[in-house]
Amino acid sequence: MPNARTARLSRRGLLAAGGALGLGAVLTACGDDDAKDGGADTKGSAKSGPWSFKDDRGTTVKLDEAPKNIVAFTGVAAALYDYGIEVKGVFGPTTTKDGKADVQAGDMDVSKVTVLGNVWDQFNVEKYAALAPDVLISTMFDDGTLWYVPEASKDKIAKLAPSVGISVFDRQLTGPLQRMWELAESLGADMTAAKVTDAKKRFEAASERLRKAAKAKPEIKVLVGSASPELFYVSGTNLSIDLEYFKALGVNFVEPTEEAKKATGGWFESLSWENVDKHKADVIMMDDRSSAIQPADITEATWKQLPAVKAGQVIARSTEPILSYDKCVAPVEALAEAIEKAKKVS
């Protein structure tokens, strides 16, 4: 199977097109079992003394004290922000064309962080060095490639500060959520704060609601899509953390053909707009990232004729979930409500 490095051109093309996952669809490297079970070593944390954290590559980062100058992928920074940890710099989708916060920036005040790169393959190494970073943190869609760290400059970036990788590949959402919790706690976040504990309870309640909805209406088929000008992508459920979790809760998903999944390492199936009706569905979840065309802006007649579209049974999908319990409540509740209200139209 091709690995992330040999596949980088395909990843770039898919991202530019707002591809099905925009998750490095051809990142087919298998996950590291040891990394999946990695835990946080919070000795000293944000108090006094040394800091260390074992990431999902199995790498332990050790510093004399908890890092203060943190640089992170935008979605990671947004999750840490929800736990009270602020970063100095970010890379990845942070601002939209009109200067507003990108959906992946969450509640962060994007005017208060240094943006090192706002699009794929953009990372200002000089600005990064000027921040005197203590640590760089990103997610991973394989067993070791840091998301949105450019292949061409990754070695220069690595020399400036140690890195931490949190895996969001081939596991259920609750795993990465727990890992981000552990990371935030190690950085000094108060995980006993009412805001934090309440968010976790709301997430658990939303999950139970989705489980009940899926059990009550097993006949409702859910299709997960993403739109680009040329193609419509149907996402598979076997590798994405949100979809694996929803499937475990009982949601009945439409799956791409096995042949199509083989061509993309298991991630998705590409369809021309003429063939967008290939799969029958009652509810459609659509990629909410700025790299994808949003449902209201899709002009293709074939899309407008889909039964789920005509029935108004289309909802947004947080394709790259912000890994705080607070931000993961809404997507779970939205899917539960959609299934609860859905009419069988397929």
Side-chain angles (χ1 to χ4, degrees):
M1 292 186 295
N3 62 28
R5 290 172 177 79
T6 60
R8 62 185 182 275
L9 292 177
S10 296
R11 284 193 301 170
R12 184 180 297 113
L14 285 164
L15 274 162
L21 295 171
L23 303 180
V26 286
L27 296 184
T28 57
C30 296
D32 185 327
D33 289 337
D34 292 336
K36 287 185 181 182
D37 296 328
D41 180 354
T42 60
K43 292 181 292 186
S45 293
K47 301 173 185 177
S48 59
W51 175 85
S52 65
F53 187 85
K54 184 178 180 181
D55 76 358
D56 290 341
R57 298 169 295 185
T59 300
T60 300
V61 177
K62 297 181 179 181
L63 299 173
D64 292 338
E65 60 181 2
K68 295 180 177 62
N69 292 346
I70 301 170
V71 173
F73 171 67
T74 303
V76 170
L80 292 176
Y81 182 88
D82 285 349
Y83 291 130
I85 304 297
E86 297 189 26
V87 307
K88 297 289 186 179
V90 297
F91 54 95
T94 307
T95 59
T96 57
K97 292 179 180 179
D98 58 6
K100 295 181 180 178
D102 188 274
V103 65
Q104 294 191 62
D107 293 332
M108 279 195 304
D109 184 344
V110 296
S111 70
K112 293 183 178 180
V113 294
T114 298
V115 181
L116 303 174
N118 199 52
V119 297
W120 182 256
D121 248 2
Q122 184 184 87
F123 191 113
N124 191 313
V125 181
E126 290 72 25
K127 280 188 177 181
Y128 178 57
L131 291 174
D134 294 321
V135 68
L136 179 147
I137 310 172
S138 190
T139 49
M140 301 183 300
F141 287 93
D142 62 1
D143 59 355
T145 305
L146 296 172
W147 191 230
Y148 266 79
V149 173
E151 179 74 15
S153 55
K154 65 181 179 64
D155 292 338
K156 291 181 180 179
I157 293 168
K159 291 177 181 178
L160 295 170
S163 61
V164 167
I166 300 297
S167 181
V168 289
F169 173 73
D170 194 18
R171 61 205 67 202
Q172 293 182 29
L173 176 61
T174 45
L177 273 172
Q178 178 61 28
R179 295 294 285 134
M180 193 62 70
W181 175 288
E182 293 167 357
L183 176 59
E185 185 174 40
S186 80
L187 294 170
D190 180 4
M191 310 313 282
T192 64
K195 178 182 177 182
V196 173
T197 57
D198 287 351
K200 189 172 184 180
K201 290 177 182 177
R202 287 189 291 111
F203 174 80
E204 291 167 350
S207 298
E208 183 58 26
R209 178 183 175 184
L210 178 55
R211 186 193 304 275
K212 290 179 178 178
K215 184 177 182 179
K217 288 189 170 183
E219 73 280 5
I220 297 299
K221 296 181 180 179
V222 180
L223 182 145
V224 183
S226 184
S228 75
E230 296 82 17
L231 296 169
F232 182 82
Y233 305 91
V234 178
S235 300
T237 62
N238 292 334
L239 300 175
S240 299
I241 57 174
D242 61 328
L243 304 185
E244 284 202 18
Y245 183 57
F246 298 157
K247 182 168 63 175
L249 292 175
V251 176
N252 180 9
F253 282 106
V254 172
E255 294 285 354
T257 65
E258 288 303 316
E259 182 179 1
K261 287 197 292 185
K262 285 181 181 178
T264 62
W267 286 105
F268 64 89
E269 177 178 8
S270 303
L271 298 175
S272 66
W273 283 102
E274 289 77 12
N275 295 315
V276 74
D277 61 350
K278 177 179 179 179
H279 300 287
K280 308 304 179 185
D282 305 295
V283 173
I284 300 177
M285 300 174 68
M286 290 293 290
D287 188 346
D288 72 350
R289 292 167 307 158
S290 55
S291 58
I293 299 176
Q294 297 307 298
D297 299 320
I298 299 175
T299 59
E300 300 290 342
T302 48
W303 162 262
K304 293 180 180 180
Q305 290 303 310
L306 292 177
V309 175
K310 293 174 71 174
Q313 296 176 176
V314 178
I315 64 171
R317 175 203 175 196
S318 297
T319 306
E320 293 185 55
I322 294 174
L323 296 173
S324 71
Y325 284 101
D326 180 71
K327 292 299 178 292
C328 287
V329 171
V332 181
E333 287 185 334
L335 181 54
E337 182 177 7
I339 293 174
E340 289 167 352
K341 294 181 177 180
K343 297 178 180 178
K344 183 67 179 175
V345 295
S346 65

